[in-house]
Amino acid sequence: MKQFISAHDVTDINALVAKALKYKDNPYIDKQLGFQKRIGLLFLNPSLRTRLSTQVAAQNLGMEPIVFNVDKEGWALEFTEGAIMNGTTVEHIKDAAPILGNYFDMLCIRTFPGLVNQQEDYSEKIIHQFIQYAGVPIVSLESATLHPLQSLTDIITIKESIALNSALQNKRPKVVLTWAPHIKSIPQCVSNSFSQWVNAWGEADFVITHPEGYDLDTQFTQGATITHHQEEALQDADFVYVKNWSSYEPYGQVLSKDDNWMMTNQKLALTHNAKVMHCLPVRRNVELSDEILDGANSLVTKQASNRVWAAQAVLASILEAQKK
Ligand code: CP
């Protein structure tokens, strides 16, 4: 693997999941792989799980991780080609990225969308300029449109749950992505990415449900069944992924805060005793009720814990490619 910014960087999702589960069973089996390798974790936006799980994963592989909170501690970066830098930005990515590429063997970047200019966000301008100028493998820790480490974790967690439940074996699981309300404008990244990965994985019947106006970019959802009727979508579901996102068209808007879309135990009763997933952080009793999050069907803690193994599988795959 040369980089990790989307499902397109993975040739065999099931093999990558198996690698992650191997690390879950034996975290230090490849402790020598990252010997004398340094990894830079650059945060242009906040994080809890991604930051810590990727550090742990790197250390499990013997790498030295260094975290840099660019948004709080670094110079304000400029990403526009030909910019006349007489404003607030201090350093151009063309100058900063090659230096970072000299300091580190691998760079991981978290950068959220602005949710103002759809074309700019969906061009993935920031992560692509790191790829262009850094000269070392780039790993997305969530970009303007996608969150691949989260999605790999989600597939790992679904596969792990299937392996533990005989009722789910020898059938295609029904996986439902449902929109949930939120108080503010939230990126489409997790939902785009989950859709892209479930479609690329190809081993589930995939349904997306959301209110009118919340259609995601079809480049990610193509292949899924899409409905505006949440209760219909939830019928016989085996996995329910709950997530808010802002509208794609018009871009970045909150069109609805309808609390009828919150996932509750009453809705869970419509499903095939579905396991419930969320990437976290979650707004309790807005997106998901306490009863679900604290109940037996919630996978959220397991899902977040699996972030370590997803990151470890990805970093190891890149290290292995560097050694060839
Ligand atoms: N799910 C997720 O990416 O969590 P953080 O934003 O805390 O990293």
Side-chain angles (χ1 to χ4, degrees):
M1 192 186 290
K2 300 264 185 274
Q3 62 177 23
F4 187 73
I5 60 169
S6 88
H8 299 310
D9 295 309
V10 181
T11 48
D12 185 339
I13 289 176
N14 281 327
L16 196 58
V17 169
K19 194 178 184 81
L21 292 173
K22 177 191 80 171
Y23 287 131
K24 186 168 185 170
D25 284 344
N26 194 343
Y28 308 113
I29 195 170
D30 282 332
K31 186 77 185 171
Q32 292 306 312
L33 191 59
F35 179 63
Q36 293 187 342
K37 296 283 185 184
R38 195 173 293 126
I39 182 170
L41 307 177
L42 309 182
F43 287 86
L44 284 76
N45 297 96
S47 168
L48 185 153
R49 281 145 290 270
T50 308
R51 171 183 173 141
L52 296 171
S53 62
T54 311
Q55 279 188 82
V56 172
Q59 286 178 334
N60 287 350
L61 292 167
M63 302 181 88
E64 182 189 357
I66 295 180
V67 175
F68 182 26
N69 295 313
V70 181
D71 57 338
K72 298 183 185 68
E73 296 152 6
W75 300 116
L77 292 172
E78 175 62 57
F79 292 92
T80 302
E81 180 66 33
I84 298 167
M85 291 176 54
N86 59 1
T88 53
T89 55
V90 177
E91 178 159 27
H92 203 283
I93 187 66
K94 287 166 101 165
D95 301 313
I99 298 163
L100 295 166
N102 284 342
Y103 294 161
F104 296 104
D105 300 288
M106 205 185 293
L107 280 174
C108 307
I109 324 288
R110 165 163 282 201
T111 175
F112 287 168
L115 291 178
V116 175
N117 183 331
Q118 184 196 69
Q119 198 181 0
E120 186 171 298
D121 288 344
Y122 274 68
S123 73
E124 289 286 9
K125 174 175 155 178
I126 293 178
I127 206 145
H128 281 145
Q129 288 192 64
F130 274 103
I131 291 168
Q132 186 176 353
Y133 296 119
V136 292
I138 300 294
V139 174
S140 168
L141 300 175
E142 187 168 349
S143 66
T145 66
L146 293 170
H147 195 353
L149 280 174
Q150 180 65 53
S151 308
L152 172 57
T153 306
D154 299 335
I155 303 288
I156 291 166
T157 309
I158 289 172
K159 286 199 68 164
E160 208 179 21
S161 293
I162 291 171
L164 292 170
N165 184 348
S166 57
L168 291 180
Q169 287 151 23
N170 306 316
K171 67 167 280 208
R172 278 174 75 81
K174 180 176 177 182
V175 175
V176 177
L177 169 63
T178 179
W179 182 91
H182 203 288
I183 58 161
K184 54 185 262 202
S185 179
I186 297 292
Q188 294 109 36
C189 310
V190 169
S191 308
N192 284 343
S193 195
F194 185 70
S195 302
Q196 184 192 51
W197 279 72
V198 173
N199 281 328
W201 180 44
E203 294 185 14
D205 291 334
F206 184 36
V207 179
I208 304 173
T209 185
H210 54 72
E212 286 191 34
Y214 277 95
D215 293 80
L216 294 162
D217 185 345
T218 54
Q219 70 170 302
F220 305 118
T221 60
Q222 222 154 34
T225 301
I226 298 168
T227 171
H228 299 140
H229 304 288
Q230 189 190 41
E231 294 196 351
E232 178 189 300
L234 293 173
Q235 292 289 338
D236 299 323
D238 298 301
F239 294 90
V240 179
Y241 201 107
V242 184
K243 186 74 185 86
N244 172 267
W245 61 89
S246 59
S247 60
Y248 177 64
E249 295 280 4
Y251 189 58
Q253 303 294 304
V254 177
L255 305 177
S256 169
K257 291 183 181 174
D258 184 354
D259 58 13
N260 287 317
W261 279 80
M262 182 173 77
M263 191 67 198
T264 60
N265 268 352
Q266 197 181 349
K267 290 181 186 170
L268 194 60
L270 299 169
T271 70
H272 185 224
N273 196 25
K275 297 293 185 190
V276 180
M277 304 174 72
H278 188 285
C279 61
L280 302 179
V282 65
R283 296 272 181 159
R284 278 178 174 255
N285 303 309
V286 177
E287 294 175 85
L288 273 161
S289 62
D290 276 341
E291 61 189 4
I292 294 248
L293 284 164
D294 300 333
N297 289 52
S298 172
L299 285 181
V300 298
T301 305
K302 183 182 257 193
Q303 201 180 341
S305 306
N306 281 339
R307 293 292 305 269
V308 172
W309 319 118
Q312 194 165 338
V314 167
L315 301 186
S317 299
I318 294 173
L319 287 169
E320 284 158 1
Q322 281 180 321
K323 282 186 190 290
K324 283 182 185 160

